[in-house]
Structures are given as C-alpha cells and as structure tokens.
Amino acid sequence: MSWLRRLLPFSKHEGMIDIEGRSVCYVIKKNSQSRRIRAAISSDEIIRVTMPTSMKIEEGIFFLQKNQEWVLRAFNQQNIRPHIALPLDAPSRKYHRIARKIVLKKILQFNDFYHFPYASVRIKDMRTRWGSCSKIGNLNFNYKLQFLPLHLVDYIVVHELCHLQELNHGKEFWHLVSQCIPDGTARRKELREINVR
Ligand SMILES: [Zn+2]
C-alpha cells in the first residue's frame, strides 16, 4: 500500500489542540491553489488551516502551536466561549454512570437542606442545557456536567432542585437557590460562558 499512500498523500487532518487549558478543534487541509499556510476561525468555532500541497500535515500542527497567541486573540475577538474538554469516546454508558453517581450524591447533599420531594433523576445527552425539571418533578441532568468544575455542578443541582418548589426564575426561586449557593448569579454567568457540545 505504500505506493498508494505516496500517490494519495493525506490531504485533510482533523484534531484537537490544547491552548492555555482550552480545547480547540482544528481542520488542516491541503489546497493546490494555496501559496502559503494560513489559518482562520470559522463560525462553527473550528480553526481551519489551509496550506500548499507541498507541505506536510505536521507543519500545519506546528504552525498552530507556534501561533497559539494569535489563535487565542482571534477567539476572543469573535467572543467565542470556551469549550469543556470532552473525551473522544463520549457519550457512552460509562459517562452516564459517572454523571449519575455525582448527581445523586449532590442531590443527597443539598436536599438534606431543602427536603423537596422529586419523582425521578435521569441523565441525558442534552445539546444546550445542563439540567431541567419537569412539572411533575422529574429531574434531568446533562451527562457532560462531570467535566465541569465542582462548584458549577453544585450550582446546577441546586438550581434544578429549587425548580421542584418554584418552576419559574422569579425572586422566590433565586432566594431559594441563594440559601445553598449565595453566589448563584456569578456561577450562572460562569456557566453561560461555557459551551456544551
Ligand atoms: Zn432554571
């Protein structure tokens, strides 16, 4: 197969790069029209590197590593939110199990204070939310919360627990939250800065 490899050189490569604690997705593509290597961040928050066909993919990765500062600046200018680093094999039952364990422990801890009755606890793969609470007291949590810092997990669990009492986000609701999480609004803001993907 080696002759085939030589005839059809790798023309596209995808991966993740860690830049100051932030996981960033990249795609490196060779282009016969391209005269020099260049990078741009697209609206789907992926760094796209285009380079001449004569260059090696490794040079593209090296280019990103060398230009980390530029990447960070470009991200900040686009006001792009940081991603939580997800393992490549997610979502799987293993991660649902781990999330369930964390959530149940936190519910036990905080509901020792609130004593709100609930119907069920489910772990789900949610696209845009960290948790939800239904009218009949079903609590749902995003399996991805296990990859968040613990103070944010606390906030998510307390938030949903308080919905058992107050379904809206009114004054009473925030008062309930503040009894366990006094800086709830700050944590809420921090959470909004993080992308769930
Ligand atoms: Zn809510």
Side-chain angles (χ1 to χ4, degrees):
M1 288 296 273
S2 61
W3 60 273
L4 188 65
R5 283 258 169 82
R6 243 175 286 141
L7 279 178
L8 301 166
F10 235 149
S11 62
K12 189 183 168 188
H13 173 76
E14 294 177 15
M16 291 256 256
I17 187 170
D18 194 74
I19 297 178
E20 289 186 16
R22 176 188 294 194
S23 294
V24 178
C25 299
Y26 66 80
V27 178
I28 300 172
K29 258 186 180 170
K30 290 185 182 182
N31 186 328
S32 56
Q33 304 292 308
S34 150
R35 291 283 158 262
R36 61 182 192 88
I37 188 163
R38 53 171 71 229
I41 292 174
S42 48
S43 56
D44 52 359
E45 302 174 17
I46 295 171
I47 313 172
R48 296 181 189 275
V49 178
T50 317
M51 62 186 195
T53 43
S54 60
M55 284 179 81
K56 287 191 184 129
I57 292 292
E58 290 78 10
E59 291 175 85
I61 298 169
F62 180 69
F63 176 78
L64 283 180
Q65 281 163 345
K66 211 176 60 188
N67 291 293
Q68 291 196 10
E69 231 174 86
W70 172 85
V71 173
L72 269 189
R73 217 176 31 239
F75 262 74
N76 291 335
Q77 275 167 4
Q78 293 210 352
N79 205 11
I80 287 167
R81 296 171 294 169
H83 289 104
I84 50 164
L86 294 179
L88 290 172
D89 57 341
S92 73
R93 296 179 73 150
K94 182 179 90 186
Y95 294 113
H96 277 63
R97 234 181 6 250
I98 296 168
R100 190 174 177 80
K101 222 167 141 179
I102 296 169
V103 164
L104 289 179
K105 204 173 134 194
K106 290 290 169 193
I107 288 176
L108 211 69
Q109 178 190 337
F110 290 111
N111 215 23
D112 190 45
F113 173 81
Y114 292 115
H115 298 290
F116 295 148
Y118 56 90
S120 70
V121 177
R122 287 200 182 93
I123 305 298
K124 292 184 173 177
D125 183 6
M126 295 156 134
R127 283 190 75 82
T128 55
R129 305 172 81 179
W130 291 105
S132 67
C133 176
S134 78
K135 274 184 193 137
I136 54 166
N138 293 325
L139 298 168
N140 301 307
F141 294 94
N142 194 328
Y143 85 95
K144 291 167 193 155
L145 56 67
Q146 68 196 280
F147 306 112
L148 289 172
L150 265 184
H151 70 287
L152 296 182
V153 179
D154 287 351
Y155 166 73
I156 294 165
V157 170
V158 167
H159 184 115
E160 298 312 331
L161 275 177
C162 291
H163 274 318
L164 291 166
Q165 185 83 1
E166 295 286 331
L167 263 174
N168 53 41
H169 291 124
K171 212 174 151 193
E172 275 307 303
F173 171 80
W174 289 111
H175 176 69
L176 276 177
V177 171
S178 72
Q179 289 179 322
C180 276
I181 313 272
D183 63 338
T185 39
R187 294 193 204 186
R188 186 187 205 206
K189 206 176 151 222
E190 198 180 332
L191 203 52
R192 278 193 176 156
E193 301 290 307
I194 297 170
N195 243 342
V196 202
R197 269 231 302 235

